[in-house]
Amino acid sequence: MIGIGCAILIAGAVYLGGDLIAPVAFALFIMALVWPLQARLQRRMPQLLALLLTLIVTLVVLAGLFSLTLWGFGKAAQWLIANAGRFQTLYAEAAGWLEGHGLIIAGSMVETFNVGWMIRFLQSAAARVNGMLGFAVLTGIYVMLGLLEIDVIRRKLAAGEAGENGRRVLAACTETGAKLRRYMGVRTVVSLCTGLAVWGFATLAGLDLAIAWGVIAFVLNYIPFIGPLLATLMPTLFTMAQFESWQMAIAVFAGMNIIQFLSGSYIEPRIAGRALAVSPFIVLLAVFVGAFMWGLAGAFIGVPIVIAALTLCEQFEDSRWVARLLSGAPPAAG
């Protein structure tokens, strides 16, 4: 009961303090990814210059991903506005069909899904993007300050100033960094393969915005479960408006799901191996809890947080059973 109570209190604190804790979590995640680059640069140049180059590289990569995201969703938004009448007609036909089968509430669907609703949705999305800019600035400040201190803290822990537990924490942090870099490498390769496959499939199917759908699939694939679902539903809805055919929409939906299934269930496990083995249930729970806490940003960072937590548990005898229980690895023989 004490453990459950502590977990509830911690979850409440994380939820209420999301504006402060979320940038810190992302900063630690970014630091784990870029620290090897800074460490190599520091061997050849002063620390401040190495930090500056590391931040520039990080900024360029993040700006590239952000630009791709804006471009892909911007193309979809432009197509949506230009073909709003098709969506209105589609919704009206769906409402008529439902009403013909006795579902009276379908009449309100036409009033809800109209051009004004879609424009308000796009405006809300733009507001969220603007809010992310402030989040990114705060995260960048934490990253800069953290990279200045990380080497000092590492040497203190290695020297035993925090005792044996400090050395174990250092080992856990080192292993966590390696796992997170491998995790992002795997997700990048799988996302790239998924994006190319979606682009090729959309081109063969004659869909508008084929390149945009590939870009969107590439970006959203970084978010487990939720991202692939959105990357499948969006082109399906647009297909219904473009071809005005339920059969074509079903075919596109099936094709997109096959691509997502192959990338998530066949390609990714073979690239990741056992080093990143986490129970699928825990991954799903991490994604949805993270989304509840911090939105899409939390859905993305949820799995890395679980990887870090399980790696830390592995370093201590009293908590090692937790890491073994929640990993996706099969039980040891015998």
Side-chain angles (χ1 to χ4, degrees):
M1 292 299 296
I2 294 177
I4 295 175
C6 290
I8 293 174
L9 290 176
I10 292 173
V14 170
Y15 177 75
L16 295 175
D19 292 340
L20 174 65
I21 298 175
V24 173
F26 270 86
L28 293 174
F29 175 69
I30 294 174
M31 287 164 56
L33 298 181
V34 304
W35 166 245
L37 173 62
Q38 178 169 328
R40 292 191 185 96
L41 293 175
Q42 284 183 182
R43 301 190 192 105
R44 298 174 175 84
M45 60 186 69
Q47 182 187 23
L48 291 179
L49 182 56
L51 173 62
L52 178 61
L53 292 177
T54 301
L55 291 177
I56 290 175
V57 172
T58 303
L59 182 61
V60 169
V61 173
L62 294 178
L65 287 174
F66 189 71
S67 298
L68 278 176
T69 304
L70 287 182
W71 181 86
F73 282 97
K75 286 291 185 181
Q78 292 173 8
W79 199 95
L80 177 65
I81 294 174
N83 297 273
R86 296 186 182 183
F87 284 94
Q88 189 65 41
T89 301
L90 179 66
Y91 291 133
E93 292 177 353
W97 185 87
L98 291 173
E99 287 183 350
H101 288 74
L103 298 177
I104 307 300
I105 60 172
S108 63
M109 187 176 68
V110 180
E111 299 177 359
T112 303
F113 293 101
N114 51 34
V115 177
W117 178 86
M118 289 185 287
I119 292 176
R120 288 193 298 272
F121 174 79
L122 294 176
Q123 290 174 340
S124 175
R128 288 179 179 271
V129 171
N130 290 331
M132 289 177 60
L133 293 178
F135 178 88
V137 171
L138 184 58
T139 301
I141 294 174
Y142 284 140
V143 170
M144 181 179 64
L145 296 177
L147 288 176
L148 283 173
E149 296 289 335
I150 188 172
D151 194 41
V152 176
I153 296 175
R154 182 186 63 82
R155 284 189 273 115
K156 286 183 178 180
L157 292 175
E161 293 191 15
E164 183 61 27
N165 286 338
R167 290 193 178 95
R168 290 182 177 179
V169 170
L170 177 60
C173 291
T174 302
E175 187 176 353
T176 297
K179 286 186 176 181
L180 292 181
R181 289 189 291 273
R182 183 171 182 181
Y183 170 79
M184 285 303 294
V186 169
R187 295 222 68 87
T188 298
V189 172
V190 174
S191 296
L192 184 60
C193 293
T194 302
L196 291 173
V198 167
W199 165 71
F201 175 78
T203 301
L204 292 175
L207 302 184
D208 293 340
L209 308 175
I211 298 178
W213 296 133
V215 169
I216 290 174
F218 166 73
V219 173
L220 290 181
N221 203 68
Y222 281 100
I223 304 176
F225 295 108
I226 296 178
L229 177 63
L230 293 176
T232 299
L233 291 179
M234 288 179 62
T236 300
L237 293 175
F238 277 65
T239 299
M240 291 165 55
Q242 177 183 344
F243 293 97
E244 298 181 356
S245 169
W246 292 95
Q247 294 84 356
M248 186 65 182
I250 292 174
V252 169
F253 180 78
M256 295 287 184
N257 272 287
I258 290 173
I259 293 173
Q260 297 290 352
F261 175 79
L262 291 176
S263 63
S265 301
Y266 183 80
I267 300 176
E268 184 173 347
R270 281 156 179 76
I271 298 177
R274 289 189 176 184
L276 299 178
V278 179
S279 167
F281 173 78
I282 298 301
V283 172
L284 182 63
L285 183 63
V287 170
F288 282 100
V289 170
F292 172 75
M293 293 289 187
W294 303 330
L296 282 179
F300 168 78
I301 201 66
V303 176
I305 289 176
V306 167
I307 292 174
L310 293 183
T311 304
L312 182 62
C313 289
E314 288 177 354
Q315 294 297 322
F316 297 90
E317 186 64 33
D318 292 340
S319 59
R320 192 165 296 157
W321 65 272
V322 176
R324 293 174 178 172
L325 181 65
L326 300 183
S327 71

